[in-house]
Amino acid sequence: MMKNQDKKLSVIIPVYNVEKYLAKCLNSVINQTYKNLQLILVNDGSTDNSRFICEDYKNKDIRVQVINKSNGGLSSARNAGLDNVEGEFVAFLDSDDWIDETMYEELMYLFNDHNVEVAACGLKEIYDDKVKFEPYTNKVSIYDRVMAINSLVSAKKSVRFEVWNKVFKYDLIKDIRFKEKQVFEDVYFNRKVFLSLNKLAFIDMPFHNYLKVREGNTNSFFNDNKLVVFKEFDDFILDLSNSGLIDSSKLFEAFALEFCISLYCDA
């Protein structure tokens, strides 16, 4: 476990009309075994009690900062959080998800031990009547840039495109922002990150709890806006080809085709 907690970790949590789920999310962060945290709650124009819940947590814990803004979407909220980071490390968490109490301690340990720029972990998918996760090993794997990129589209997809199962060094992402008013915003963000990083660590433990299906979750159903992801895949493939990573670009082409089929089947 961690010998010290001298590095501050800023956790950015966009909040929009999630009063039913928010306390569970925030409690899971506040109760982390890693204590040197800055919690940035970005209330993105909520019309329910979410804003008041955020303010209540701010009054109870000095680590909590609340930003109230007009509704601009998930990317806009995350960008507002990035503009207020105080830590040397950054994590993102969706306000309807929650994390196991040792997640950030385990991920911060990987930075200490392996000199990486990104640390990631596995996840559990939470449905109304079941919890789904792959068998896990607790093994730590260290990836260079190419291995990390390939892991995004490998058969196991261990690292994944989502940002919420990761901790990033702030210096790596300080000039990167999410593309606003676009779904699958994580693909654009991670394209910029993964093409810049040198090393990534992955621990095969499902520390993150992903609420897969809930009312109001736009990822729970198909809509035409999701087709924009193929432009992001095309850009990623082009960047890989221009960087001489031909094998990786071919892996992404195959993944994009598989993803297209899955969207069609879900429509």
Side-chain angles (χ1 to χ4, degrees):
M1 306 301 279
M2 289 288 294
K3 296 179 181 178
N4 59 67
Q5 302 198 24
D6 61 322
K7 306 296 185 183
K8 180 176 285 189
L9 169 62
S10 296
V11 183
I12 297 171
I13 306 177
V15 176
Y16 178 71
N17 288 357
V18 284
E19 62 181 7
K20 180 179 177 181
Y21 310 96
L22 186 54
K24 185 170 187 176
C25 171
L26 299 184
N27 287 336
S28 76
V29 181
I30 285 173
N31 294 323
Q32 286 290 296
T33 54
Y34 196 88
K35 300 300 184 184
N36 193 359
L37 302 173
Q38 175 197 18
L39 279 69
I40 306 175
L41 312 184
V42 184
N43 172 42
D44 191 40
S46 295
T47 57
D48 65 359
N49 288 317
S50 295
R51 174 176 180 173
F52 304 106
I53 295 172
C54 290
E55 296 291 347
D56 183 53
Y57 275 83
K58 176 184 176 181
N59 292 334
K60 293 188 295 187
D61 194 316
I62 62 172
R63 299 175 298 174
V64 177
Q65 174 184 351
V66 177
I67 299 171
N68 292 301
K69 60 182 290 295
S70 59
N71 181 255
L74 179 61
S75 292
S76 173
R78 285 176 174 170
N79 289 340
L82 283 168
D83 291 339
N84 288 271
V85 163
E86 298 174 357
E88 298 170 71
F89 295 86
V90 178
F92 301 93
L93 182 60
D94 288 354
S95 52
D96 53 354
D97 294 344
W98 65 96
I99 55 179
D100 294 354
E101 66 176 4
T102 62
M103 174 171 162
Y104 289 145
E105 183 170 6
E106 296 285 356
L107 293 183
M108 292 297 288
Y109 177 83
L110 298 178
F111 289 99
N112 278 14
D113 208 40
H114 300 287
N115 192 30
V116 297
E117 295 151 295
V118 179
C121 67
L123 69 143
K124 299 180 284 288
E125 292 185 348
I126 311 297
Y127 298 84
D128 288 337
D129 58 348
K130 65 179 179 179
V131 177
K132 178 183 176 182
F133 57 91
E134 300 293 331
Y136 56 89
T137 64
N138 200 27
K139 177 183 177 182
V140 173
S141 301
I142 307 300
Y143 301 147
D144 63 19
R145 180 184 297 125
V146 175
M147 294 167 62
I149 290 170
N150 292 349
S151 71
L152 290 170
V153 294
S154 66
K156 190 175 180 181
K157 302 181 184 68
S158 57
V159 176
R160 300 175 63 100
F161 280 103
E162 291 87 353
V163 295
W164 35 245
N165 68 327
K166 302 174 180 68
V167 171
F168 304 85
K169 274 192 173 180
Y170 177 69
D171 282 347
L172 178 67
I173 66 170
K174 63 183 180 182
D175 296 323
I176 302 175
R177 292 296 182 269
F178 291 88
K179 188 178 289 187
E180 299 191 8
K181 299 188 182 300
Q182 176 178 302
V183 296
F184 293 113
E185 62 287 324
D186 292 4
V187 178
Y188 171 84
F189 186 86
N190 273 328
R191 171 164 63 92
K192 299 295 186 180
V193 171
F194 277 62
L195 286 168
S196 301
L197 66 80
N198 292 305
K199 283 202 303 184
L200 175 149
F202 174 78
I203 181 168
D204 189 20
M205 286 290 290
F207 292 129
H208 184 277
N209 299 279
Y210 173 33
L211 187 59
K212 185 68 173 178
V213 179
R214 71 163 175 88
E215 183 179 356
N217 186 345
T218 58
N219 288 325
S220 301
F221 54 88
F222 177 82
N223 63 66
D224 291 345
N225 291 334
K226 290 187 174 183
L227 297 177
V228 73
V229 73
F230 296 107
K231 172 63 165 60
E232 296 298 338
F233 286 153
D234 283 344
D235 289 344
F236 212 144
I237 290 166
L238 181 61
D239 283 347
L240 291 170
S241 297
N242 289 339
S243 299
L245 303 178
I246 304 303
D247 290 342
S248 296
S249 69
K250 291 179 179 178
L251 285 175
F252 263 76
E253 289 175 355
F255 174 80
L257 177 59
E258 178 186 340
F259 191 84
C260 179
I261 293 171
S262 71
L263 278 185
Y264 177 80
C265 291
D266 289 342

